[in-house]
Amino acid sequence: MELLTIDIAHVLAGALLLTSFMLLYQDRLSGLINIYTLHAVILSLSVAWQAYYQDAHHLYLTAAIAAIFKALIIPFSLRRIIKRLRIHRTVEVVGGVGITMLIGIFLVALSLVVMLPATASADPLSREDIAFALAIVLLGLLMMVTRRNVVSQIIGFMSLENGLVLAAAGANGMPLVVEISVAFSILIAFIVIGIFLFRIRERFDNVDLSELDRVRGGRS
């Protein structure tokens, strides 16, 4: 029974990693938001399963926070931002999708090679979940680097943070006060980013970073 529980946890963590690749592949904003919503739902299921496996009841609250804030509030707010700012639906990927996916595969392999030997003495569930979590964090960073649109970079940042939550849950959880603090910090950061997006749109009539660089270069 314990082996089945560990296998289910690994399946959920692997599904989260696969969804990160889907984020890298997607080049439309509406699709990015939908996939991020799926990313958040899988995260909440994974954390809830960790709570069951570890008998850590405070992780159920973490799963609920992920479901409410990440799967409901943030996607809804991003759709409102896109609609109000009339942002282009297609997102330009630096270097192309194919190269980005290859780099992503390399980062996943690097995460496994580095983390599995380093955590050889850890619990089997925590060991592999932390390796998956590092890969998700690196894929989130890759998405932030390779996307020119600010909204897609926000989604990359949020997916990166999902990897951190998975790592914390896999490492026998974290204190409840820390989880609540992190959740509200992310929400506040999202609100601030949204305000800056509206200000950038008002000032430059664009949220594409390449266009903003062109404007800055023209002024200098």
Side-chain angles (χ1 to χ4, degrees), residues 1-195:
M1 183 65 181
E2 182 178 358
L3 290 177
L4 177 61
T5 304
I6 294 176
D7 288 340
I8 293 175
H10 289 163
V11 167
L12 290 172
L16 196 63
L17 178 61
L18 178 61
T19 313
S20 292
F21 273 105
M22 292 170 63
L23 286 172
L24 281 178
Y25 181 78
Q26 182 60 246
D27 62 353
R28 294 179 65 85
L29 283 177
S30 58
L32 278 176
I33 295 174
N34 291 335
I35 295 172
Y36 173 76
T37 303
L38 177 62
H39 203 268
V41 169
I42 296 174
L43 173 69
S44 63
L45 291 175
S46 181
V47 173
W49 192 256
Q50 290 278 0
Y52 167 76
Y53 175 76
Q54 300 177 25
D55 195 25
H57 298 291
H58 67 281
L59 285 180
Y60 287 115
L61 180 57
T62 304
I65 291 174
I68 294 172
F69 285 97
K70 296 175 177 294
L72 294 175
I73 295 178
I74 289 178
F76 174 77
S77 301
L78 285 174
R79 290 188 181 94
R80 290 290 302 272
I81 288 173
I82 290 174
K83 183 177 180 180
R84 291 192 61 181
L85 296 183
R86 299 186 297 277
I87 300 174
H88 298 300
R89 295 181 180 272
T90 303
V91 179
E92 183 180 353
V93 180
V94 178
V97 174
I99 295 177
T100 301
M101 297 293 285
L102 289 175
I103 296 174
I105 294 172
F106 169 77
L107 291 176
V108 172
L110 179 65
S111 301
L112 296 176
V113 169
V114 170
M115 292 306 300
L116 291 181
T119 57
S121 60
D123 177 82
L125 179 57
S126 300
R127 180 173 177 246
E128 297 187 16
D129 270 9
I130 291 174
F132 279 126
L134 177 60
I136 292 167
V137 169
L138 292 178
L139 291 181
L141 284 172
L142 179 62
M143 184 175 177
M144 294 178 67
V145 171
T146 57
R147 299 303 172 100
R148 296 188 182 278
N149 187 281
V150 177
V151 175
S152 60
Q153 291 184 347
I154 293 173
I155 295 175
F157 170 75
M158 296 296 176
S159 68
L160 179 157
E161 197 267 337
N162 286 352
L164 296 177
V165 172
L166 178 65
N172 296 321
M174 56 182 173
L176 180 60
V177 64
V178 176
E179 296 168 9
I180 296 176
S181 175
V182 169
F184 280 101
S185 297
I186 293 297
L187 181 62
I188 292 171
F190 180 78
I191 293 172
V192 172
I193 291 171
I195 294 172

Side-chain angles (χ1 to χ4, degrees), residues 205-219:
D205 196 33
N206 206 315
V207 292
D208 190 300
L209 293 182
S210 61
E211 294 295 329
L212 299 182
D213 289 339
R214 190 176 296 116
V215 171
R216 185 176 60 182
R219 289 185 175 180

